[in-house]
Amino acid sequence: MVNTLTPTTTERAHSPGSAGLAVDGRSRTRRRQVVVAYLFLAPTLLFFAVFLILPLGFALLLSMSRWAGFDLGDIDPVGLDNFTDLFADGSTFLAPILTNTLLFALGTVALALAGSVLVATCIDNLRFQGLWRTLYFLPIVTTVVAVGNVWKYMYEPGGLVNGVLNALGLGSVAFLQDPDTALPSVVVVQAWASVGSAILILTAGLKSIPESYYEAAALDGAGPVAVLWKITLPLLRPSLLFVCITQFLTGLQSFALIIVMTKGGPGDATNVAALEMYRQAFSYGNWGIASAAAFVLFVVVLAVTLMQLWIFRRKGEDA
Amino acid sequence: MTRARRTHGLSRRHFALALPSALLASGCAVPHQGTGRPGDPIVLTLLSHYASGELKAALQGPVDEWNATHDRVKVRTRAVEFTDLLTTFMVRQAAGQGADILHPYCLWTGQLVQAGVLRPAPPEHAEEIRRGYGEAAVGSSSVGGRLYGYPTEMQTYALYYNKRLLREAGIDGPPRTWRELEEAAYRTSRRDRYGNTLVQGFGLSTYDDSTTVGQTLALLNSAGGTFVSADGRTTAIDSPAGRAVFDLEHRLVAKGASAPGVNVYKAFPSGQVAMVVSAGWWTGSLKPLMGKDYRDVGVAPLPVPEAGDQRATLSTGFMLGVNAASEHPREAWEFLRWLNTEKVGVKSAKKGAKATRMSSLQVSVGSLTGRADDMRTLLSEGGDPNLRPFLDALAYAVPEPNVPGAQQAKSLLRKNIEALWTGQQSVDEALWTTRRQVDQEVSRAW
């Protein structure tokens, strides 16, 4: 029943006349696969085009324009004036707004990282680990507005924190009203609220460290501090890198907690870039300034992220 | 069978393409606005901050009355909290979803006019507004001498004081000069051994822009100063009057008679503030909040720097205007005329007394309108005597500047006031920084 007159696929491929046909067939198949692949990707690509690329291009246009936000015909090109205004003498964008943004992000990362390493290490040695992880994860599932308001009440002159200080015989502190303590006070809350997700990632990282290393360290008589510095932290570096970068990015873009707790005050003591952008665009109708500020923040975020990746790679860790 | 499915049914590939397309199409579709059939009534939307409680009910009353008596034009209310109102205007307008009738805070009028959001009042309406309302009300609804809407709620600023706290400190009545104010503030303020404020002599508050700046601007006006120059392009805060106000506030904070971090809206009703400058709307909130303790609350005209000085205070307000993008401006203006100028009988006042629906609405929630005649009618019998000083102040109050960039100027002033109160800036630095920042922003806004 085999048709001996029809060449097999292999023969077709090797016969001089049919070589072109075979290549055509393969390229047709490949083209069809590519088309189908793009068709499947189309919704996502369309989504990105509509909600990412277009707004990005529009924001770039606005950053070099003056616009009140309503009529597209009113967009007035002003070149780099908005950027110049942001960094002009007397402008508050560089200091204290951008400085606050970086301090806020740095403070949050430092506290959240230190706290999460400590707690994750403790949890790793406890029973009922799932329970502890859940407890520490709870702030993540609570809305920022609720977290901010609760802490705001706790920080108030007659609030819980001052109550504790008074009970210890100490004077009250105007946590959110004093420009020197307002930013650190909000940083503590942001770190507290984000420590849960960091713990989740770090405990997973801790689980992946082979027990044999600890056994070998124990045989060599290494103490807990040496084990932490020589074994745990180096092997936890991929998780630490992830936590560090994501927390830093979140910190740089932080907005909700600050608007709830201090509205950027007192003065500009807790004002950050995202809050300033929001105000410039939606309260004052300065879309150009807001867009320019957004691009400056984008450059800062990019630079900081690349720097973090570079530092970790230098230490032998590929992100 | 496969062929038949391809011909008559929906193949998996078609389905895979059709589903996201349908989702995208439905997601991007314009919200349903009505049937669009000829003969259907025109539906006007009204966006305000009368979002909850008695404010919402008070506005809905006349709107329901209009809808019951008018077949061709219906009005639908939309409301958001005041803190979200400007943002909502901006976002909805940018999205092409602006309401037909807007109810903005007059501070934003210049910004909204410059952005082409508000439609100027037609001449016949402008004439009615000028004829029926006080100078401050007309001024706050105008930009560059042109009217953009009917003034609704008008607020003037006066001194609230706690009679009991003043009495306990041996003070007979409310202060009339700044010297008396300061003296009373020091005598009434109390703190515990940990530094917690038990009683603020004079309440200064960082609660929000309106609270912080309103207090300072009211005192500035009472000292004969102004925040923005007559042409609206520069600030006049760096004046002897401005310096006097900043000096006064700085002394009060430094000497412990004021605790700006305390929420004055909670502390005053709790008897923890002896005196505070605030607007008339507060009387309506204080009554239910304080219950029988409200009898301790007194309201007096704002103290002046020296005895015999001419009285002045701040006035702020809201207006009802028509969106420049509205497809039915004539109908919208007609509704506003009906609401704001047509006089109807007043149930609570003496027989035969008449007032506009808006004036009745405002007084029912413990507020004022810019129509002095209505206010006198509505307060003629059994009105709260604490509203009188606010009503009297309508005659001499200075409207809050509403130039383009006014909101930003106010926010910048607030930041510098807070920097002054918290010791970040001296009086000189605060004045100089405010002037430089506000001048820069206000000039850019033009």
Side-chain angles (χ1 to χ4, degrees), chain B residues 78-128:
Chain B
R78 293 274 179 272
V80 293
E81 294 295 332
F82 172 66
T83 45
D84 301 322
L85 189 60
L86 179 60
T87 313
T88 308
F89 285 151
M90 305 280 279
V91 173
R92 288 185 69 98
Q93 196 75 12
Q97 301 280 316
D100 295 282
I101 300 169
L102 304 174
H103 192 190
Y105 180 25
C106 288
L107 177 80
W108 310 326
T109 316
Q111 184 179 325
L112 294 174
V113 166
Q114 197 193 38
V117 178
L118 286 173
R119 189 182 288 267
E124 64 274 22
H125 291 272
E127 202 179 307
E128 285 204 53

Side-chain angles (χ1 to χ4, degrees), chain A:
Chain A
M1 292 298 287
V2 176
N3 184 358
T4 51
L5 295 174
T6 310
T8 61
T9 310
T10 321
E11 285 167 337
R12 267 203 308 262
H14 288 286
S15 65
S18 61
L21 283 174
V23 170
D24 279 356
R26 274 206 304 272
S27 69
R28 249 201 318 273
T29 308
R30 170 133 185 84
R31 263 205 306 276
R32 208 167 59 192
Q33 285 174 341
V34 168
V35 169
V36 170
Y38 273 112
L39 283 175
F40 273 104
L41 284 172
T44 314
L45 292 176
L46 192 66
F47 180 86
F48 277 118
V50 171
F51 295 105
L52 194 74
I53 308 295
L54 276 180
L56 194 69
F58 190 52
L60 187 62
L61 170 74
L62 288 185
S63 70
M64 289 182 278
S65 312
R66 219 180 123 182
W67 191 48
F70 304 122
D71 191 347
L72 289 175
D74 287 344
I75 294 178
D76 179 21
V78 293
L80 296 175
D81 282 6
N82 291 327
F83 291 95
T84 316
D85 282 355
L86 283 179
F87 297 104
D89 185 33
S91 165
T92 52
F93 184 71
L94 192 60
I97 295 170
L98 212 51
T99 318
N100 284 346
T101 312
L102 286 167
L103 287 174
F104 183 84
L106 272 172
T108 305
V109 169
L111 277 183
L113 215 56
S116 56
V117 167
L118 188 71
V119 176
T121 315
C122 292
I123 286 177
D124 202 41
N125 294 308
L126 288 175
R127 292 176 66 198
F128 312 117
Q129 291 185 15
L131 171 73
W132 299 116
R133 276 202 296 269
T134 307
L135 284 179
Y136 278 99
F137 195 73
L138 275 179
I140 302 291
V141 296
T142 312
T143 64
V144 178
V145 176
V147 168
N149 274 313
V150 167
W151 275 89
K152 194 172 151 183
Y153 289 125
M154 283 168 50
Y155 277 140
E156 272 186 359
L160 181 67
V161 181
N162 273 317
V164 172
L165 288 177
N166 293 168
L168 294 172
L170 300 168
S172 292
V173 178
F175 288 99
L176 298 177
Q177 289 80 42
D178 186 336
D180 295 330
T181 53
L183 192 66
S185 303
V186 186
V187 165
V188 167
V189 181
Q190 175 77 19
W192 174 82
S194 56
V195 89
S197 59
I199 286 171
L200 211 62
I201 294 158
L202 293 184
T203 46
L206 286 170
K207 292 277 171 231
S208 69
I209 299 174
E211 197 60 34
S212 54
Y213 292 174
Y214 292 108
E215 288 166 3
L219 285 175
D220 287 345
V225 176
V227 167
L228 181 73
W229 279 108
K230 303 284 184 186
I231 297 174
T232 307
L233 289 181
L235 292 174
L236 209 53
R237 202 180 288 147
S239 308
L240 287 173
L241 172 66
F242 180 80
V243 170
C244 192
I245 290 180
T246 52
Q247 296 284 351
F248 206 86
L249 292 181
T250 310
L252 286 174
Q253 296 170 65
S254 192
F255 161 78
L257 191 66
I258 288 176
I259 203 168
V260 169
M261 291 188 73
T262 61
K263 297 188 182 81
D268 262 329
T270 56
N271 199 4
V272 289
L275 179 59
E276 185 65 13
M277 277 184 261
Y278 168 79
R279 279 192 180 141
Q280 289 289 346
F282 294 110
S283 293
Y284 313 145
N286 292 332
W287 287 77
I289 294 278
S291 302
F295 273 95
V296 173
L297 184 64
F298 168 72
V299 170
V300 171
V301 169
L302 187 68
V304 169
T305 309
L306 290 176
M307 201 167 70
Q308 282 176 319
L309 287 173
W310 180 71
I311 289 170
F312 274 86
R313 275 183 180 152
R314 274 191 69 196
K315 288 180 176 290
E317 192 55 58
D318 195 348

Side-chain angles (χ1 to χ4, degrees), chain B residues 209-229:
Chain B
D209 280 357
S210 296
T211 319
T212 310
V213 176
Q215 294 168 330
T216 301
L217 289 191
L219 289 167
L220 179 71
N221 292 146
S222 81
T226 55
F227 178 38
V228 175
S229 63

